[in-house]
PDB file of all heavy atoms in Angstrom:
ATOM      1  N   GLY G 136     115.938 102.772 108.839  1.00  0.00           N
ATOM      2  CA  GLY G 136     115.069 101.608 108.935  1.00  0.00           C
ATOM      3  C   GLY G 136     115.400 100.707 110.112  1.00  0.00           C
ATOM      4  O   GLY G 136     114.760  99.676 110.303  1.00  0.00           O
ATOM      5  N   GLY G 137     116.398 101.096 110.916  1.00  0.00           N
ATOM      6  CA  GLY G 137     116.719 100.354 112.118  1.00  0.00           C
ATOM      7  C   GLY G 137     117.439  99.045 111.869  1.00  0.00           C
ATOM      8  O   GLY G 137     118.150  98.877 110.873  1.00  0.00           O
ATOM      9  N   LYS G 138     117.243  98.132 112.784  1.00  0.00           N
ATOM     10  CA  LYS G 138     117.994  96.873 112.787  1.00  0.00           C
ATOM     11  C   LYS G 138     117.815  96.101 111.478  1.00  0.00           C
ATOM     12  O   LYS G 138     118.771  95.547 110.938  1.00  0.00           O
ATOM     13  CB  LYS G 138     117.529  96.018 113.965  1.00  0.00           C
ATOM     14  CG  LYS G 138     118.417  94.840 114.251  1.00  0.00           C
ATOM     15  CD  LYS G 138     117.832  93.983 115.373  1.00  0.00           C
ATOM     16  CE  LYS G 138     118.797  92.880 115.762  1.00  0.00           C
ATOM     17  NZ  LYS G 138     118.233  91.992 116.804  1.00  0.00           N
ATOM     18  N   ARG G 139     116.589  96.071 110.978  1.00  0.00           N
ATOM     19  CA  ARG G 139     116.315  95.278 109.783  1.00  0.00           C
ATOM     20  C   ARG G 139     117.113  95.807 108.585  1.00  0.00           C
ATOM     21  O   ARG G 139     117.771  95.041 107.867  1.00  0.00           O
ATOM     22  CB  ARG G 139     114.824  95.296 109.478  1.00  0.00           C
ATOM     23  CG  ARG G 139     114.428  94.316 108.385  1.00  0.00           C
ATOM     24  CD  ARG G 139     112.931  94.306 108.167  1.00  0.00           C
ATOM     25  NE  ARG G 139     112.190  93.721 109.265  1.00  0.00           N
ATOM     26  CZ  ARG G 139     111.328  94.369 110.036  1.00  0.00           C
ATOM     27  NH1 ARG G 139     111.109  95.646 109.841  1.00  0.00           N
ATOM     28  NH2 ARG G 139     110.698  93.738 110.996  1.00  0.00           N
ATOM     29  N   GLU G 140     117.035  97.123 108.380  1.00  0.00           N
ATOM     30  CA  GLU G 140     117.747  97.710 107.239  1.00  0.00           C
ATOM     31  C   GLU G 140     119.253  97.486 107.362  1.00  0.00           C
ATOM     32  O   GLU G 140     119.928  97.165 106.376  1.00  0.00           O
ATOM     33  CB  GLU G 140     117.439  99.211 107.147  1.00  0.00           C
ATOM     34  CG  GLU G 140     118.158  99.909 106.002  1.00  0.00           C
ATOM     35  CD  GLU G 140     117.901 101.411 106.003  1.00  0.00           C
ATOM     36  OE1 GLU G 140     117.011 101.873 106.737  1.00  0.00           O
ATOM     37  OE2 GLU G 140     118.615 102.126 105.264  1.00  0.00           O
ATOM     38  N   LEU G 141     119.758  97.644 108.578  1.00  0.00           N
ATOM     39  CA  LEU G 141     121.185  97.435 108.795  1.00  0.00           C
ATOM     40  C   LEU G 141     121.581  95.987 108.524  1.00  0.00           C
ATOM     41  O   LEU G 141     122.627  95.711 107.930  1.00  0.00           O
ATOM     42  CB  LEU G 141     121.536  97.841 110.229  1.00  0.00           C
ATOM     43  CG  LEU G 141     122.962  97.600 110.698  1.00  0.00           C
ATOM     44  CD1 LEU G 141     123.971  98.204 109.745  1.00  0.00           C
ATOM     45  CD2 LEU G 141     123.151  98.167 112.101  1.00  0.00           C
ATOM     46  N   ALA G 142     120.738  95.066 108.930  1.00  0.00           N
ATOM     47  CA  ALA G 142     121.045  93.650 108.708  1.00  0.00           C
ATOM     48  C   ALA G 142     121.088  93.330 107.221  1.00  0.00           C
ATOM     49  O   ALA G 142     121.956  92.590 106.755  1.00  0.00           O
ATOM     50  CB  ALA G 142     120.007  92.775 109.407  1.00  0.00           C
ATOM     51  N   VAL G 143     120.146  93.883 106.464  1.00  0.00           N
ATOM     52  CA  VAL G 143     120.131  93.651 105.015  1.00  0.00           C
ATOM     53  C   VAL G 143     121.431  94.150 104.403  1.00  0.00           C
ATOM     54  O   VAL G 143     122.070  93.471 103.598  1.00  0.00           O
ATOM     55  CB  VAL G 143     118.917  94.344 104.370  1.00  0.00           C
ATOM     56  CG1 VAL G 143     119.049  94.364 102.857  1.00  0.00           C
ATOM     57  CG2 VAL G 143     117.628  93.664 104.781  1.00  0.00           C
ATOM     58  N   GLU G 144     121.852  95.347 104.810  1.00  0.00           N
ATOM     59  CA  GLU G 144     123.098  95.911 104.281  1.00  0.00           C
ATOM     60  C   GLU G 144     124.296  95.045 104.667  1.00  0.00           C
ATOM     61  O   GLU G 144     125.204  94.819 103.860  1.00  0.00           O
ATOM     62  CB  GLU G 144     123.255  97.331 104.835  1.00  0.00           C
ATOM     63  CG  GLU G 144     124.104  98.228 103.972  1.00  0.00           C
ATOM     64  CD  GLU G 144     123.465  98.469 102.609  1.00  0.00           C
ATOM     65  OE1 GLU G 144     122.211  98.489 102.520  1.00  0.00           O
ATOM     66  OE2 GLU G 144     124.221  98.605 101.642  1.00  0.00           O
ATOM     67  N   ALA G 145     124.285  94.544 105.889  1.00  0.00           N
ATOM     68  CA  ALA G 145     125.396  93.707 106.358  1.00  0.00           C
ATOM     69  C   ALA G 145     125.455  92.392 105.581  1.00  0.00           C
ATOM     70  O   ALA G 145     126.537  91.895 105.276  1.00  0.00           O
ATOM     71  CB  ALA G 145     125.242  93.434 107.846  1.00  0.00           C
ATOM     72  N   ILE G 146     124.295  91.840 105.253  1.00  0.00           N
ATOM     73  CA  ILE G 146     124.272  90.591 104.486  1.00  0.00           C
ATOM     74  C   ILE G 146     124.774  90.845 103.071  1.00  0.00           C
ATOM     75  O   ILE G 146     125.524  90.045 102.509  1.00  0.00           O
ATOM     76  CB  ILE G 146     122.852  89.991 104.492  1.00  0.00           C
ATOM     77  CG1 ILE G 146     122.588  89.380 105.863  1.00  0.00           C
ATOM     78  CG2 ILE G 146     122.689  88.956 103.388  1.00  0.00           C
ATOM     79  CD1 ILE G 146     121.226  88.784 106.014  1.00  0.00           C
ATOM     80  N   ARG G 147     124.410  91.991 102.494  1.00  0.00           N
ATOM     81  CA  ARG G 147     124.932  92.334 101.164  1.00  0.00           C
ATOM     82  C   ARG G 147     126.456  92.479 101.230  1.00  0.00           C
ATOM     83  O   ARG G 147     127.169  92.095 100.301  1.00  0.00           O
ATOM     84  CB  ARG G 147     124.313  93.654 100.683  1.00  0.00           C
ATOM     85  CG  ARG G 147     122.817  93.559 100.451  1.00  0.00           C
ATOM     86  CD  ARG G 147     122.396  94.318  99.187  1.00  0.00           C
ATOM     87  NE  ARG G 147     120.964  94.181  98.957  1.00  0.00           N
ATOM     88  CZ  ARG G 147     120.038  95.065  99.354  1.00  0.00           C
ATOM     89  NH1 ARG G 147     120.414  96.164  99.977  1.00  0.00           N
ATOM     90  NH2 ARG G 147     118.749  94.864  99.100  1.00  0.00           N
TER      91      ARG G 147
END
Side-chain angles (χ1 to χ4, degrees):
Chain G
K138 192 184 186 183
R139 189 177 290 116
E140 179 184 348
L141 175 53
V143 168
E144 205 64 32
I146 285 179
R147 295 220 178 95

